[in-house]
């Protein structure tokens, strides 16, 4: 899809050197405005002066041909690069503030350099290559296959568009929740460009530049680059140094005890594009990009700690408990320090079986590159052929200390390498003034290898007293046995093929009918490698899985879309649509015992939608509304506690949890009451209801999906990544200062609804209920921008999180698995930045 704005509104020093309900009444008022505005539209139109404020026009090709946004029967949020800059949005996750029903958040440190992404409650939060994102992310029409590295820097972006609802018949890859599309500024031969420099809180430095150049009259180029560096905001202290006499040895000297800071930034990226346009028939682009992102682990703090297992004691007589909770912006992470070797539990049967020390790096390093080519050829005035080819590769390396303390609860090294290529070919034909037809095909092939070293020392048999003594264990509430240590080095292959067709018919002037079909075949294979830490011999605990190739997933699916829209007047259009989508199944990629090496099936959705798009009061007010109903089946949810699958201990098992119905309403408003003044806002409300739940997923006997309340009450009443309420309001005023330029203040307020922690419903009063859920929060950002009279120079002062709200972007709860740990990722505190931008 293409869109074009026709007009727009007037850590440490070493590393750095290296690189809620009120919305219901609001919606009622908005609905009233639609009625009033429609009545106003029936009155004789009065000519308006050229200077009258109007909402800008947006052109899209969501249905493969040029349309105004207001003529497209799809729920779409479109933001230009200038809009994003005005809102101080620097990366993908910041976009979700402006888009209803969209949740994009940085993942916890346990998931490396990745994000969680969902639209209308459908999506994915797991970076593992065995899992499929439910939200399609595209860069210049090229599908971005993974959540790893997906928190993209908005470098030289022309626009970002968010399509809500299944998009399988309208995009390259089947995307059940929706699609997010980035479009880079394309070379034009105009020899324009810009350079920006930013300095801000905690030694923040951002540099970005872009230049457009002409090689010949038919060959143009554009090159862009970005650099970002900033100190972190969560202090990592040495516990022994901070607490002398605790029994835990110190590993640093001095009185400061600070080792480094988490939540820092170290980012570099470059992109180059060549465009060949010899005539009106051919338009071909070749682009390449490279990204290197290195920083300490994502910011995290310990919220709950309780595990008496002596295997995980920080030192003799120093159990893992609340003493290791550091504070709101600090922890005692020891990711970069080795965990000692030991003989587990002093169990006589295990004497002579020492377990090795393990260690990793506190740095997360992500490197990616890609090349793509896009060719548009006008075969005739009415037939156009488009070819999109791409190859991408990345590597993400990170280590995780589960306890954020010297206690060796659990530790993991991770290294993911991924290679993928894709090809899409489509033909668009305008048969006559009544009919537009599109047909196309998509193919992709992806190979990944997921290396991991796991040292999980909280594993215990869960017995006490005489039974524990009989097996020679230590008499504790969780009689310890040997820990789970292994190396995994798993190859994964994913292939996808699809063909699709779309037809649009306009039988009369104001009525449009659209229909589409898609056939998809998805193939996925997974091979398990499970070795001891010597990297040679099969794992003592999981050797039965070593070399095991699971039965491949091979699924076929037909999806559809049907939409009809009617324009009642030049100001008001209404539409109705129904569309289906799905997400492929696969194999559980993290079995911590052989019983967990099991498959999970595909999930699917049918989305029913009614909407209206309006431009009222001489286009001073744009109000777009939609209501939707989802019929969701075989939801893929990842269990972090699953004793029903092979016994107690670690778990990260995706399974099909059940079926659900969900309904919601979304609204987007843009108002220009007077010249220079803009108010924009959005609101979404969604209600989720499980219609049946798989009993085994909630720890009961295996059986058919059940709607019995005694079963459905055992699962959290909404899925991960779901927010019931979400809204934002922004306002800016462009004050002209004659020869002195202009001054533009802007304020944005956004509300993010609460989210659940784990899939299982927490028992009232349990640690999971108290510490493991994500509370709602409201953030305020402000920006003041001065622009020169020629608009070629600007200086902006931005403050994010103005009121210094303390909130969490994610939480990681391992209490159900027996670890006794809950960690949270605090959001960024208040920050300020000054940016100077020069365009030429």
């Amino acid at each position: 899809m293409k869109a074009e704005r026709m007009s727009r509104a007037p850590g440490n020093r070493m590393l750095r050197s290296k690189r809620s309900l009120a919305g219901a009444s609001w919606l009622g008022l908005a609905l009233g405005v639609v009625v009033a505005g429609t009545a106003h539209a029936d009155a004789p139109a009065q000519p308006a002066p050229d200077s009258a404020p109007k909402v800008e026009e947006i052109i899209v090709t969501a249905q493969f041909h040029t349309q105004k946004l207001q003529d497209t029967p799809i729920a779409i949020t479109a933001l230009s690069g200038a809009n994003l800059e005005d809102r101080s949005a620097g990366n993908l996750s910041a976009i979700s503030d402006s888009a209803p029903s969209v949740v994009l958040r940085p993942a916890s440190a346990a998931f490396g350099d990745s994000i969680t992404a969902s639209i209308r409650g459908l999506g994915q939060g797991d970076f593992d290559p065995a899992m499929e994102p439910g939200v399609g992310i595209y860069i210049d029409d090229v599908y971005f296959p993974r959540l790893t590295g997906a928190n993209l820097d908005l470098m030289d972006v022309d626009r970002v568009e968010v399509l809500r609802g299944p998009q399988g018949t309208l995009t390259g890859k089947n995307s059940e929740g929706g699609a997010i599309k980035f479009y880079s500024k394309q070379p034009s031969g105009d020899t324009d460009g810009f350079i920006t420099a930013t300095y801000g809180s905690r030694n923040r430095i951002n540099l970005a530049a872009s230049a457009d150049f002409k090689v010949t009259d038919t060959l143009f180029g554009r090159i862009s680059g970005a650099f970002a560096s900033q100190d972190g905001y969560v202090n990592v202290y040495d516990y022994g140094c901070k607490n002398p006499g605790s029994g835990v040895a110190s590993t640093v000297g001095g009185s400061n005890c600070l080792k480094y800071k988490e939540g820092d930034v170290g980012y570099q990226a470059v992109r180059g594009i060549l465009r060949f346009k010899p005539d009106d028939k051919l338009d071909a682009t070749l682009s390449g990009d490279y990204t290197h992102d290195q920083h300490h682990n994502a910011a995290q703090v310990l919220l709950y700690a309780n595990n008496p297992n002596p295997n995980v004691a920080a030192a003799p007589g120093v159990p893992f408990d609340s003493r290791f909770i550091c504070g709101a912006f600090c922890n005692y992470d020891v990711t970069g320090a080795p965990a000692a070797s030991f003989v587990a539990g002093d169990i006589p049967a295990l004497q002579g079986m020492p377990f090795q020390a393990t260690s990793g790096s506190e740095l997360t390093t992500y490197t990616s590159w890609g090349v793509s080519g896009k060719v548009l050829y006008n075969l005739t005035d009415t037939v156009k052929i488009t070819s999109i080819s791409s190859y991408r590769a990345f590597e993400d390396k990170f280590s995780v200390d589960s306890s954020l303390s010297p206690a060796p609860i659990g530790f993991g090294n991770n290294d993911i390498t991924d290679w993928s290529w894709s090809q899409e070919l489509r033909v668009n034909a305008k048969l006559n003034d009544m009919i537009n037809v599109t047909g196309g095909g998509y193919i992709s092939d992806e190979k990944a290898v997921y290396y991991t070293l796991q040292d999980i020392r909280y594993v215990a048999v869960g017995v006490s007293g005489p039974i524990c003594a009989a097996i020679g264990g230590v008499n504790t509430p969780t009689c310890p046995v040997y820990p789970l240590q292994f190396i995994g080095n798993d190859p994964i292959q994913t292939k996808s093929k699809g063909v699709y067709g779309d037809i649009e018919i306009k039988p009369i002037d104001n009525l449009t009918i659209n229909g589409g079909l898609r056939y998809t075949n998805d193939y996925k294979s997974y091979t398990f490698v499970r070795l001891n830490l010597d990297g040679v011999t099969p794992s003592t605990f999981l050797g039965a899985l070593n070399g095991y190739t699971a039965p491949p997933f091979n699924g076929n699916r037909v999806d559809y879309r049907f939409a009809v829209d009617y324009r009642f007047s030049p100001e008001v259009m209404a539409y109705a649509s129904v569309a289906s989508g799905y997400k492929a199944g696969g194999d559980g990629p993290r079995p911590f015992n052989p019983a967990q090496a099991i498959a999970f099936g595909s999930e699917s959705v049918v989305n029913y939608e009614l909407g209206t798009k309006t431009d009222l009061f001489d286009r001073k007010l744009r109000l777009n509304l939609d209501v939707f109903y989802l019929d969701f089946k075989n939801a893929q949810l990842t269990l972090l506690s699953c004793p029903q699958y092979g016994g107690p201990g670690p778990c990260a098992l995706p399974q099909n949890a059940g079926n659900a119905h969900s309904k919601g309403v979304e609204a987007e408003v843009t108002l220009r009451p007077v010249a220079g003044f803009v108010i924009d806002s959005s609101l979404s409300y969604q209600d989720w209801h499980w219609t049946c739940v798989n009993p085994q997923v909630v720890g009961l006997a295996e059986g058919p999906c059940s709607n019995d309340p005694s079963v459905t009450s055992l699962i959290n009443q909404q899925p991960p990544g779901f927010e019931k309420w979400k809204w934002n309001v922004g306002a800016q005023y462009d004050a002209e200062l004659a020869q002195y330029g202009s001054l533009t203040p802007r304020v944005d307020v956004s509300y993010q609804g609460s989210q659940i922690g784990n899939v299982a419903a927490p028992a009232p009063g349990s640690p999971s209920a108290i510490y493991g859920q994500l509370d709602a929060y409201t953030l305020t950002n402000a920006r003041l921008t001065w622009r020169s009279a020629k608009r070629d120079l600007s200086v902006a002062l931005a403050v994010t999180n103005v009121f210094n709200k303390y909130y969490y972007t994610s939480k990681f709860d391992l209490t159900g698995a027996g670890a006794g740990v809950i960690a949270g990722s605090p959001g960024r505190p208040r920050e300020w930045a000054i940016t100077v931008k020069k365009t030429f």
Side-chain angles (χ1 to χ4, degrees):
M1 178 177 66
K2 293 184 177 180
E4 181 179 351
R5 295 278 182 180
M6 304 304 291
S7 61
R8 73 171 186 84
N12 57 27
R13 281 190 280 267
M14 179 181 296
L15 178 62
R16 191 169 69 254
S17 65
K18 291 179 180 178
R19 49 149 207 214
S20 264
L21 292 178
S25 60
W26 180 93
L27 180 58
L29 177 61
L31 289 167
V33 172
V34 171
V35 177
T38 305
H40 178 275
D42 292 336
Q46 299 296 321
D50 293 341
S51 61
K54 297 179 186 296
V55 176
E56 63 269 31
E57 193 58 83
I58 304 173
I59 305 300
V60 302
T61 55
Q63 297 181 127
F64 304 114
H65 63 92
T66 300
Q67 286 180 292
K68 296 178 182 179
L69 173 67
Q70 297 303 89
D71 290 338
T72 308
I74 300 172
I76 304 176
T77 299
L79 298 167
S80 70
N83 293 148
L84 296 167
E85 185 177 305
D86 288 340
R87 300 166 195 237
S88 301
N91 52 36
L92 174 65
S93 60
I95 292 172
S96 66
D97 292 347
S98 305
S101 301
V102 177
V103 177
L104 303 169
R105 295 191 182 185
S108 67
F111 295 124
D113 203 341
S114 66
I115 64 167
T116 63
S118 65
I119 297 178
R120 295 178 176 174
L122 309 180
Q124 185 56 258
D126 195 336
F127 68 91
D128 196 290
M131 310 295 290
E132 292 298 313
V135 174
I137 298 174
Y138 293 82
I139 304 173
D140 295 331
D141 287 327
V142 173
Y143 181 69
F144 195 91
R146 294 291 139 216
L147 295 176
T148 299
N151 196 18
L152 303 165
D153 185 89
L154 303 182
M155 177 180 64
D156 204 22
V157 168
D158 180 66
R159 63 198 178 277
V160 177
E161 299 169 355
V162 182
L163 287 69
R164 302 186 294 278
Q167 302 298 320
T169 66
L170 295 172
T171 59
K173 188 74 185 287
N174 204 331
S175 304
E176 61 173 1
I180 301 172
K181 297 191 172 186
F182 290 77
Y183 290 95
S184 307
K185 291 183 179 178
Q186 295 298 300
S188 62
D190 292 338
T191 64
D192 61 353
F194 70 87
I195 183 168
T196 68
T198 300
Y199 182 80
S201 300
R202 301 191 310 279
N203 296 309
R204 172 183 170 182
I205 297 174
N206 289 77
L207 301 173
S210 181
D212 192 296
F213 56 91
K214 178 185 290 188
V215 180
T216 70
D217 288 342
T218 59
L219 182 63
F220 321 122
R222 190 174 186 95
I223 187 165
S224 308
F227 168 87
S229 176
Q230 187 179 24
D231 291 344
Y233 57 95
V234 169
N235 294 329
V236 179
Y237 293 112
D238 181 276
Y239 182 83
C241 176
K242 267 287 196 183
N243 299 272
S246 64
V248 177
S250 173
T251 59
V252 302
S255 58
N256 185 21
C257 303
L258 178 66
K259 299 193 294 184
Y260 54 88
K261 296 186 177 186
E262 294 178 338
D264 53 324
V265 177
Y267 180 90
Q268 304 91 41
V270 64
R271 177 187 296 125
I273 305 175
L274 282 176
R275 182 182 183 188
F276 178 59
K277 190 171 174 38
D279 50 42
D280 292 337
K281 285 184 173 292
L282 178 63
D283 190 348
T285 58
L286 176 66
S287 66
D289 63 85
Y290 173 82
T291 299
H292 180 74
D293 190 359
Q294 185 176 66
H295 51 81
H296 291 100
N297 280 345
Q300 50 188 340
V301 298
L302 186 61
L303 303 176
Y304 175 80
N306 182 24
N307 193 328
N309 185 340
N311 279 3
V312 303
V318 186
F320 179 64
D321 56 26
S322 60
R323 77 188 72 198
F324 295 109
I325 298 176
C326 181
F329 287 108
C330 65
N331 67 52
Y332 300 113
D333 197 334
V334 294
T335 300
S341 60
F342 71 108
V343 175
D346 284 335
I347 299 176
L350 298 179
Q351 292 297 318
M353 290 184 63
F355 292 87
Q356 298 182 32
T358 55
S359 64
S361 171
E362 69 270 17
L363 299 179
T364 293
T365 304
Y366 170 80
T367 304
S368 74
W369 65 274
V371 292
S372 64
K374 183 175 182 179
V375 178
L376 289 79
Y377 186 74
N378 296 316
L379 194 62
T380 69
D381 290 342
T382 59
V383 179
K384 179 174 67 176
I385 300 174
T386 303
S387 172
I388 305 167
S389 309
S390 171
Y391 179 86
R392 297 203 62 83
F394 73 79
E395 181 175 16
D396 190 31
K397 296 188 292 185
F398 60 98
S399 301
V400 180
D401 168 27
S402 299
S403 73
L404 301 178
S405 78
I409 294 288
F411 169 81
N413 285 330
N414 303 273
D415 188 345
I416 304 163
T417 53
D418 188 284
W419 310 264
S420 64
W421 66 265
S422 65
Q423 172 65 49
E424 183 173 2
L425 184 67
R426 63 174 177 251
V427 179
N428 307 96
K430 183 177 179 63
L431 301 185
N432 51 47
D433 290 340
M434 183 187 301
I435 302 175
N436 286 294
V437 177
T438 296
Y442 173 87
I443 184 171
S444 66
D445 191 352
E446 180 183 10
K447 296 179 177 66
V449 176
Y450 182 13
Y451 170 89
T452 185
L453 181 153
Q454 293 291 320
D455 182 5
I456 303 173
R457 303 191 179 189
Y458 63 80
V459 176
V461 293
V463 297
S464 60
I467 298 176
C468 183
I471 63 172
V474 178
N475 188 5
T476 66
T478 54
C479 178
V481 294
Y482 46 79
L484 181 60
Q485 291 185 326
F486 67 87
I487 285 176
N489 197 31
D490 303 350
I492 309 108
Q493 183 169 27
T494 302
K495 296 181 179 182
S496 184
K497 301 174 184 178
V499 293
Y500 54 84
D502 185 89
I503 183 170
E504 181 184 271
I505 303 174
K506 199 175 184 69
I508 59 176
D509 284 345
N510 293 332
L511 177 66
T512 305
I513 302 170
N514 185 280
L517 286 174
R518 177 191 182 90
Y519 169 79
T520 303
N521 171 258
D522 284 315
Y523 172 90
K524 188 179 298 182
S525 67
Y526 200 106
T527 300
F528 296 95
V529 175
R530 292 295 181 266
L531 303 172
N532 286 320
L533 298 196
D534 60 10
V536 177
T537 59
S539 168
T540 304
F541 320 107
L542 297 173
L545 291 177
N546 189 51
Y548 170 65
T549 298
F553 173 86
N554 196 342
N556 301 304
R557 168 82 180 187
V558 175
D559 283 299
Y560 58 87
R561 175 178 177 266
F562 177 80
V564 57
D565 65 80
Y566 187 80
R567 180 156 292 284
F568 292 93
S569 71
E571 295 79 12
V572 179
M573 184 270 277
Y575 70 91
S577 68
V578 57
S580 70
Y582 101 116
K583 185 167 66 175
D587 295 284
R590 299 185 185 93
F592 294 102
N593 62 62
Q596 291 178 9
I598 55 178
F600 58 94
S602 302
E603 67 180 21
S604 63
V605 66
V606 178
N607 180 83
Y608 303 89
E609 189 170 321
L610 296 172
T612 181
K613 297 191 174 186
T614 66
D615 282 319
L616 308 173
F617 306 113
D618 194 25
R619 286 184 52 207
K620 293 180 181 179
L621 171 66
R622 172 166 293 171
L623 174 58
N624 293 345
L625 296 168
D626 67 78
V627 294
F628 61 88
Y629 177 84
L630 301 178
D631 185 5
F632 188 44
K633 296 187 182 301
N634 300 314
Q636 297 173 3
L637 301 182
T638 298
L639 310 177
L640 296 182
S641 174
C642 58
Q644 66 272 36
Y645 294 98
C651 180
L653 180 63
Q655 286 292 284
N656 297 101
N659 304 335
H661 290 161
S662 182
K663 55 184 178 293
V665 59
E666 300 165 336
E668 294 182 280
V669 177
T670 303
L671 175 64
R672 293 182 181 271
V674 297
F677 186 34
V678 183
I679 300 172
D680 46 64
S681 61
S682 68
L683 169 75
S684 58
Y685 168 82
Q686 187 174 357
D687 181 63
W688 188 278
H689 171 67
W690 292 106
T691 58
C692 71
V693 168
N694 177 354
Q696 192 173 15
V697 165
V698 292
L700 303 177
E702 186 175 359
C705 195
S706 173
N707 60 5
D708 189 321
S710 65
V711 177
T712 58
S713 64
L714 298 177
I715 197 171
N716 245 314
Q717 294 308 295
Q718 61 190 55
F722 173 96
E723 293 180 350
K724 191 168 190 175
W725 284 100
K726 185 175 183 292
W727 57 261
N728 84 284
V729 178
Q732 71 180 53
Y733 181 71
D734 192 1
E736 296 294 336
L737 305 177
Q739 69 269 30
Y740 300 107
S742 66
L743 198 62
T744 306
R746 181 178 176 93
V747 176
D748 289 279
V749 182
S750 63
Y751 172 86
Q752 303 283 334
S754 60
Q755 294 188 34
I756 67 165
N758 288 343
V759 170
S766 66
S768 291
I770 298 172
Y771 303 105
Q773 312 305 304
L774 280 162
D775 294 331
Y777 59 87
T778 303
L779 298 181
T780 301
N781 297 337
R783 187 180 182 97
L784 180 64
T785 305
W786 172 84
R787 293 182 177 91
S788 67
K790 293 183 179 181
R791 301 279 171 155
D792 61 343
L793 178 65
S794 66
V795 181
L797 171 63
V799 181
T800 54
N801 194 0
V802 171
F803 300 107
N804 208 24
K805 173 73 174 180
Y806 188 84
Y807 64 100
Y808 297 100
T809 59
S810 64
K811 290 186 177 179
F812 196 51
D813 181 357
L814 288 175
T815 56
V821 177
I822 302 176
S825 299
R828 306 187 80 82
R830 179 171 54 227
E831 298 179 350
W832 63 267
I834 296 177
T835 299
V836 179
K837 181 176 183 178
K838 171 65 177 176
T839 60
F840 54 88

